Amino acid sequence: MENKLTIYNTLTRKKELFVPLHAPHVGLYVCGPTVYGDGHLGHARPAITFDTLFRYLQHLGYKVRYVRNITDVGHLEHDADEGEDKISKKARLEQKEPMEVVQYYVTRYHKAMEALNVLPPSIEPHASGHIIEQIEFVKKILDAGYAYESEGSIYFDVPKYAKKFNYGELSGRNIEETLENTRELDGQSEKRNAVDFALWKKAQPEHIMHWPSPWSEGFPGWHLECSTMSTKYLGEEFDIHGGGMDLMFPHHECEIAQSTAALGKPSVHYWMHNNMITIEGQKMGKSLGNFITLNEFFEGTHPKLVQPYAPMTIRFFILQAHYRSTVDFSNEALQAAEKGLARLGEAYARLQRIQPATQTTVDVKGLREKCEAAMCDDLNTPIVISHLFDATKAINLITDGKATINKEDLDELKSVFDLFINDILGLRFESVGGGKNEAYKGAIDLLLDIRKQAKANKDWATSDLIRDKLAALGFSVKDTKDGFEWSL
């Protein structure tokens, strides 16, 4: 199909037609998790947002190399340059090897992503596995004259870079104002300027994770890994870099500066950022007591949760809002998403049971084009969902015997629902009953087949008994012109 995909480029602050550098190949890099704790709802949003982009680019016919990194070294406790490495701290407190901590949380992260039906990336590089490449990247920045050594650490010289390049262009920060506000701190640390950031840090004796380098036994700065690994796997220039809006400054701003300084040109053509998820109007944070992990959502074990929420409810909740809008969590909002997903699932199940007629008496034309147009408009998933809900009205009319649909239109409707619900939005409609779904469904269908036969034999007592017993267990049974349907 013709590519009409527009995406909002955070760098230029406008929607732009997506034109790949080397079509049909597309390079996509997304900042992945820092693995020192269980993933929370905020981690789910970028994962689902860029999973949807990954899926849609593939639908458009592109061959996508999707790189999503794992930060397992260099992320410090107090800020990007000071404090204890978060992985090292957790390893010290739990008396484990740092890579034990990393493996434990990476495994849990992968399980959560699988539950959310997030496709695995093409490559998932670890920062700790690319120390040599990061050292070489630092050398390039030093050779270009935009970094300096101080007491065994290497810092990026922001004021010198800002004289030639536009530092602050992504986040909209005014570098002159920033320098003015921080000038009084100069000389009070290893840095020449408080705005400078670490490319390489000399390790203190108690620091567990460290590697040899030309400057000291130390470890790379947090920002360095993404510049290094994105260009290693996607080339010096690539198409899309994504992540959460909270990473725009300082992380992504520093990435741009590092890559431009080392390579003499910007690496990324399109920057994409998803907005934040708040909880009852507040940013999530452990100190506020509103930090809810994904496993707590799935199991309903956090005090703020009135019930467990299935992974597909979480995914649908996130997709109901545009990725650039703020989403506020509440139990009410998630319960509404749960009901909406159930309605869509019921319509999808009904669609599979519809038998074609000779003519179509409902308006189902143009659904594919409407959904494509919404996705091409900067991944407008809530509009896609609204179009699918509009189509469920026609499905219900047909199922209730108030309208008909011919085979050609029915096949097209099924194709559109499969494409957008399963392949692009990544939603799965799972039967109730956990790991025994098919047996559970078969047992209910068998009971209702017995009830159907009882009705045919005018055995109203048996028919009513089955219906009433199922209703008491929470099942809704509806007779249709083709037989019956049920839901829990």
Side-chain angles (χ1 to χ4, degrees):
M1 62 171 291
E2 182 185 359
N3 173 29
K4 296 181 180 178
L5 174 63
T6 61
I7 56 179
Y8 184 86
N9 190 342
T10 316
L11 189 65
T12 60
R13 293 169 178 77
K14 62 182 180 182
K15 288 183 188 177
E16 298 176 5
L17 180 69
F18 175 63
V19 181
L21 286 163
H22 305 293
H25 299 277
V26 171
L28 168 64
Y29 186 91
V30 175
C31 288
T34 304
V35 286
Y36 56 86
D38 277 335
H40 54 75
L41 194 61
H43 289 144
R45 193 167 196 194
I48 291 169
T49 295
F50 294 103
D51 178 63
T52 306
L53 174 63
F54 181 33
R55 289 167 179 270
Y56 195 62
L57 287 170
Q58 290 179 310
H59 164 67
L60 292 174
Y62 294 118
K63 297 179 179 179
V64 186
R65 177 176 287 178
Y66 176 17
V67 182
R68 186 184 68 204
N69 71 302
I70 296 289
T71 298
D72 58 0
V73 67
H75 202 284
L76 305 187
E77 189 179 8
H78 300 312
D79 60 37
D81 294 339
E82 301 297 333
E84 188 174 2
D85 182 284
K86 292 181 178 180
I87 301 292
S88 294
K89 180 180 179 181
K90 205 159 190 69
R92 177 174 55 78
L93 293 174
E94 297 181 9
Q95 296 185 315
K96 294 180 178 178
E97 282 291 325
M99 288 303 115
E100 275 187 278
V101 174
V102 170
Q103 188 62 53
Y104 176 79
Y105 286 110
V106 166
T107 299
R108 289 175 71 86
Y109 176 74
H110 285 161
K111 285 182 178 178
M113 293 302 103
E114 184 178 351
L116 291 167
N117 201 22
V118 170
L119 299 175
S122 314
I123 303 172
E124 193 174 54
H126 288 229
S128 63
H130 295 76
I131 301 298
I132 293 173
E133 292 91 337
Q134 292 183 75
I135 289 172
E136 292 303 311
F137 210 91
V138 173
K139 288 179 181 178
K140 289 181 182 179
I141 299 172
L142 282 166
D143 290 344
Y146 292 107
Y148 57 89
E149 182 178 355
S150 176
E151 300 181 30
S153 295
I154 307 295
Y155 291 96
F156 190 91
D157 193 331
V158 172
K160 185 174 182 180
Y161 174 84
K163 288 178 181 177
K164 184 175 180 180
F165 301 103
N166 185 11
Y167 183 82
E169 60 181 337
L170 180 68
S171 59
R173 302 269 176 146
N174 184 315
I175 184 60
E176 296 300 328
E177 185 178 306
T178 304
L179 287 169
E180 185 66 33
N181 291 338
T182 57
R183 190 165 293 150
E184 62 189 49
L185 300 176
D186 291 357
Q188 295 183 16
S189 71
E190 298 174 353
K191 303 179 186 181
R192 292 176 184 171
N193 306 280
V195 291
D196 297 346
F197 57 89
L199 299 171
W200 184 266
K201 287 285 289 182
K202 181 180 179 179
Q204 298 303 310
E206 66 274 11
H207 200 94
I208 304 175
M209 302 171 76
H210 51 82
W211 292 263
S213 80
W215 318 289
S216 65
E217 187 80 13
F219 55 93
W222 171 36
H223 313 305
L224 187 64
E225 64 182 272
C226 288
S227 289
T228 302
M229 295 191 293
S230 63
T231 53
K232 173 181 172 66
Y233 293 110
L234 299 176
E236 290 190 357
E237 292 182 70
F238 60 93
D239 296 297
I240 303 171
H241 192 313
M245 197 170 284
D246 57 327
L247 296 178
M248 284 176 63
F249 188 89
H251 187 51
H252 290 162
E253 199 73 73
C254 294
E255 268 193 69
I256 292 174
Q258 290 168 162
S259 298
T260 304
L263 307 173
K265 58 188 176 183
S267 293
V268 181
H269 280 223
Y270 301 87
W271 283 90
M272 294 180 70
H273 292 87
N274 63 273
N275 214 322
M276 299 295 97
I277 292 181
T278 57
I279 294 185
E280 296 170 345
Q282 291 183 308
K283 185 179 178 181
M284 283 185 292
K286 289 183 179 178
S287 61
L288 297 172
N290 62 1
F291 183 92
I292 308 176
T293 70
L294 289 172
N295 283 327
E296 286 173 332
F297 272 105
F298 300 159
E299 297 166 6
T301 53
H302 193 279
K304 283 189 174 290
L305 300 175
V306 299
Q307 66 177 77
Y309 295 101
M312 283 302 100
T313 298
I314 301 291
R315 186 175 181 109
F316 187 69
F317 169 69
I318 288 172
L319 291 172
Q320 276 186 308
H322 191 272
Y323 76 90
R324 286 192 288 113
S325 66
T326 304
V327 175
D328 188 51
F329 155 80
S330 66
N331 281 285
E332 292 76 16
L334 268 178
Q335 286 168 343
E338 186 176 61
K339 290 177 182 176
L341 181 64
R343 279 199 298 126
L344 197 59
E346 287 170 9
Y348 182 81
R350 288 173 181 170
L351 178 61
Q352 311 314 310
R353 294 194 293 265
I354 291 175
Q355 297 299 313
T358 55
Q359 62 178 343
T360 300
T361 61
V362 287
D363 182 14
V364 292
K365 300 292 186 183
L367 179 61
R368 184 185 299 270
E369 291 74 19
K370 290 176 185 176
C371 292
E372 291 281 7
M375 286 301 298
C376 282
D377 184 17
D378 193 29
L379 306 184
N380 204 329
T381 57
I383 298 298
V384 173
I385 291 170
S386 72
H387 289 320
L388 294 172
F389 271 122
D390 285 342
T392 65
K393 298 173 185 175
I395 293 170
N396 291 337
L397 285 173
I398 297 165
T399 304
D400 292 342
K402 298 176 182 177
T404 57
I405 188 170
N406 64 31
K407 186 177 187 306
E408 181 182 357
D409 289 338
L410 179 59
D411 289 345
E412 169 66 2
L413 193 57
K414 287 181 177 179
S415 173
V416 172
F417 265 62
D418 282 336
L419 172 63
F420 284 93
I421 289 177
N422 299 329
D423 298 343
I424 294 174
L425 297 182
L427 297 170
R428 294 184 299 215
F429 298 122
E430 297 169 323
S431 304
V432 292
K436 302 175 182 177
N437 289 342
E438 291 307 314
Y440 188 95
K441 180 178 181 298
I444 303 300
D445 287 343
L446 176 62
L447 275 173
L448 291 175
D449 279 334
I450 294 171
R451 176 175 177 267
K452 183 180 177 182
Q453 188 61 48
K455 287 180 67 178
N457 295 335
K458 300 188 184 306
D459 182 359
W460 308 118
T462 301
S463 170
D464 291 347
L465 178 65
I466 293 173
R467 182 198 61 203
D468 294 344
K469 289 291 186 182
L470 286 173
L473 292 170
F475 289 91
S476 172
V477 178
K478 182 178 180 181
D479 294 312
T480 68
K481 65 183 182 68
D482 296 318
F484 57 82
E485 59 184 41
W486 60 271
S487 61
L488 183 62

